[in-house]
Amino acid sequence: MIKRLLGSRELLLAAVILVLAIVFGMLAPQFFSFAHMFGIGRSAVVLGLLSLGLLLVMITGGIDVSVSATAVASMYITSVALLELNYHGPFLLAAVLAVVIGAVFGLVNATLVTILKLPSLIVTLGTLTLFRGGLLAFVGSDRLRELPAKMSEFSTAQLFTLETGGRPAPFHVSVAVLIVIAVLLAWALRSTTWGKSMYAVGDDEVAARRLGVAVTPVKISAFVLAGALAGLAGIMSGALNRAADPFTIVGVEMDALAAVVLGGAAVTGGRGSVLGTMLGVILITMVAASLVLVGIPSAWRHAFVGIFLLLGLGIPALRQRRIEKARGMVVSN
Amino acid sequence: MTSDSSANAAGSSVLEAGGPSAVIAQGITKTYGEVTALDNVDFTVRPGTVHCLVGENGSGKSTLTKIIAGVEAQDSGTVSVEGRVLSSIDPRTAIQHGVRVIYQDLALFPNMSVAENVVFQGNRSVLIPVSNRKARKKASEALAALDLNIDPGTRLGDLSTAERQLVAIARTVSSDGKIILMDEPTASLTSREIDQLLETVDRLRQQGLSFVFISHKLREVTSVADDVTVLRDGQLISTGRAGEYSQERIAELMTGGLVENNRRETPAQEESEPVVEVRGLGLASSFHDIDFSMHRGRVLGLAGLVGSGRIEIGLSVAGLVRAERGTVRIHGESVENRRADNRLQYVPDDRLTEGLFLDWSIADNIVTNHLDGVVTPRGTVSPSKIGELADDWRSKLRVKTPDVSHPVSSLSGGNQQRVLLARALAPEPDVVILNNPTVGVDIGSRADIHDVVRNAADEGTAFLVISDEPAELLSICDDLVFIHEGRIIDRRSADSLSEETLIDIISEGGRS
């Protein structure tokens, strides 16, 4: 048991995060402030929600690179609609609308993947450009600075604020939302029949089907949930930035992919955990948020994400080869 | 959490005498393209009995199992379980009726733990909470019931083939099934493990469970069966009480009296100079210290359980997997890059994914290994030469096709296998390695393929044959090398060997 835990991806990631944090802390003392920590949390919300959605799809053996487009489209459509309607109600309703729109986009992906049986990478590459392009062409391309009041107010909705050393350290509500969703998903994946079916479908679809798993509904659920989570990520992003900009959240699907893969998910499906994914998100966000702090140009951020992605793929591949060799299984070359 | 209330409610009537049959399959017909896998087959399993389904490769046993399990849809005919006709053809319905299957390829989940694999029931995919602790406990009990010492927390993918087979059995046994279909459950088990399995089957039968047991090993069949059904080429040949069948009679019915075991009459003498010499070949824990020689015109067989390392040895000699230790010499010279050496050919068992280019024409498939034979003096490939060469091989191997320009996917399994053989033989190699050369091939084609191998051997080719089927090994091999857990445990000459003895050596792993 202990050996398995020591060998686990989650522990390795946590150790890497700790080491990097110590390095950052030594280079820039303000790194270890609550303000910076909570700030990292707030920056992690959008990536976190997108990564969780992507994780679900990857567990079932698919991939969804359209999550960023789904997020921005849900956010922008919701904002435009609410402004149009002169909406002044609570933010919650706006969030629900964005989630529903996101789920519909997810359903589009799910339909193409399950009914036409197209590979999910190609489908979602297509919908990535389609959602984004369609948004600009049909809905608009203006950056909207005047959001409904409750939506803008959400950007300062702090759950609590710590006063340490005279500097306020606010803990934003959205971080709590991310944590709650992560915990719920972790439970659903680990301890429900739905969760087990998700892993089964990704691990061996034929075997799952033979055991009576409703493979298509399970796959649809993954894509729809990914879309819904992307919708939520989008509206959070708009609210936190106090603007609906159709040109934001570009390329975040790559960060999400890196986070999920770093967290131990297999591109071939059947593997991956919420904890691992969240650690991946923390690692990427922490590095991105702290580069400037320690004096590295922020342009390096993408290079780091690339390195993380390759490490996330390379380490398990090497490990697997070693295991197979030790077990005497044929390593085909 | 795994039990199904509707299935349990009906379970009590199983033991009653004169109750409905566990399974009745009536008039089942199934075709794949031009091939008839099952032709109007009736099959009945009495409650609380073990019904052995026997037949050669490609006789339709696995197809019948899949139809009862709802995995494959029959073209016509009905399946009823405990007196109720299955309303729809899908695995879930069959599972709800208490049907459980151990598939030949096991259908396990490599990334899940052993416990998850044992307990996983796919029939519900909604948000029903499950207790991982209880799952672990249940799995431990199921494993203990089979006397298995496997940590339920291990990742399934890290287990050996035999261990996985046992996990698949544990899953079936632990899941409240009432009718258990086992497709070759003993293929990778040692004789001790087989005995344990048969004991478990017997115990569960006394508790009222019914079994469909598929096996090649006739001794198992006669020891465990209450009823026997023999299939051949998709036809129901014979069915009745096990007492009416001796091993000899079953063998005769399976092959249709076709004496398939006509062994090679006059194998070539061992010459002093071997064509291939394997010395001290080893790869990690896959196989060790493998020594053997192959001679001109002789057929050498590698016998062993599934997962014993036979296939890895074959791949390694073929140069497809790099061995860590040892040498392979061809005509006395050590050849490192054997993959690119046309003197040595490898024929894979999975012709669909590893062998043929399915969308290419038959002709193009045959010449891919022998482009030297179809080039013009100017160095371009000549379509007319390709046609000639392919036509030549078509008539030599009797490939049933009107035109070699048709795609290879239009052929039946047996004919595809001939194309694969033609491709290997076209460059006139000195050595051919065959991995299960007649998997999924009907009996007629099979005898033909064996003839092709014998004829090629008579002309001087040396063969290395890996096969799951004892009858096949005895039919075409001159010499046999027995592999157990990656080591050579015995060497025998094939003509002094009975099928019985061969199976004994294989499954006892040299303990006898």
Side-chain angles (χ1 to χ4, degrees), chain B residues 459-485:
Chain B
E459 283 167 25
T461 312
F463 281 90
L464 181 65
V465 179
I466 300 155
S467 175
D468 293 342
E469 297 210 44
E472 176 161 272
L473 287 170
L474 291 176
S475 162
I476 51 178
C477 296
D478 304 315
D479 310 291
L480 288 168
V481 169
F482 291 85
I483 312 291
H484 180 75
E485 288 177 1

Side-chain angles (χ1 to χ4, degrees), chain A residues 4 190-194 196-197 200 203-204 207 209-214 269-271 325-330 333, chain B residues 91-92 95 103 105 109-112 116 122 125-126 128-130 132 151 157-158 171 284-286 312 320-321 324:
Chain A
R4 203 172 298 135
R190 267 188 60 82
S191 305
T192 72
T193 47
W194 172 79
K196 304 283 180 197
S197 304
D203 212 349
D204 189 336
R209 187 162 275 139
R210 285 180 182 172
L211 284 180
V213 174
R271 238 190 296 187
K325 233 175 151 182
R327 301 261 356 165
M329 293 171 198
V330 171
N333 40 352
Chain B
R92 199 188 300 215
I95 288 168
Y103 293 95
D105 55 9
F109 303 101
N111 280 313
M112 287 190 184
E116 284 174 307
S125 302
V126 284
I128 300 169
V130 294
N132 290 310
D151 175 5
D158 294 339
R171 171 172 75 186
S285 51
S286 202
E312 287 80 356
L320 294 167
V321 165
E324 289 169 345

Side-chain angles (χ1 to χ4, degrees), chain B residues 289-328:
Chain B
D289 307 327
I290 302 299
D291 287 327
F292 59 79
S293 303
M294 294 170 62
H295 296 269
R296 205 180 124 75
R298 286 186 77 91
V299 184
L300 177 70
L302 288 183
L305 294 168
V306 171
S308 60
R310 310 164 299 173
I311 292 170
E312 287 80 356
I313 293 168
L315 287 170
S316 178
V317 174
L320 294 167
V321 165
R322 192 163 307 194
E324 289 169 345
R325 290 172 297 279
T327 55
V328 176

Side-chain angles (χ1 to χ4, degrees), chain A residues 44-65:
Chain A
V45 170
V46 173
L47 178 60
L49 292 170
L50 292 178
S51 301
L52 289 175
L54 179 58
L55 169 71
L56 295 177
V57 176
M58 284 186 69
I59 286 175
T60 64
I63 196 164
D64 185 351
V65 293

Side-chain angles (χ1 to χ4, degrees), chain B residues 62 236 241 267 340 351 444 494:
Chain B
S62 294
L236 178 73
R241 297 283 188 271
R351 56 182 166 265

Side-chain angles (χ1 to χ4, degrees), chain B residues 223-239:
Chain B
S223 75
V224 78
D226 296 300
D227 297 328
V228 171
T229 290
V230 183
L231 294 180
R232 188 195 326 140
D233 285 343
Q235 308 272 348
L236 178 73
I237 298 301
S238 173
T239 185

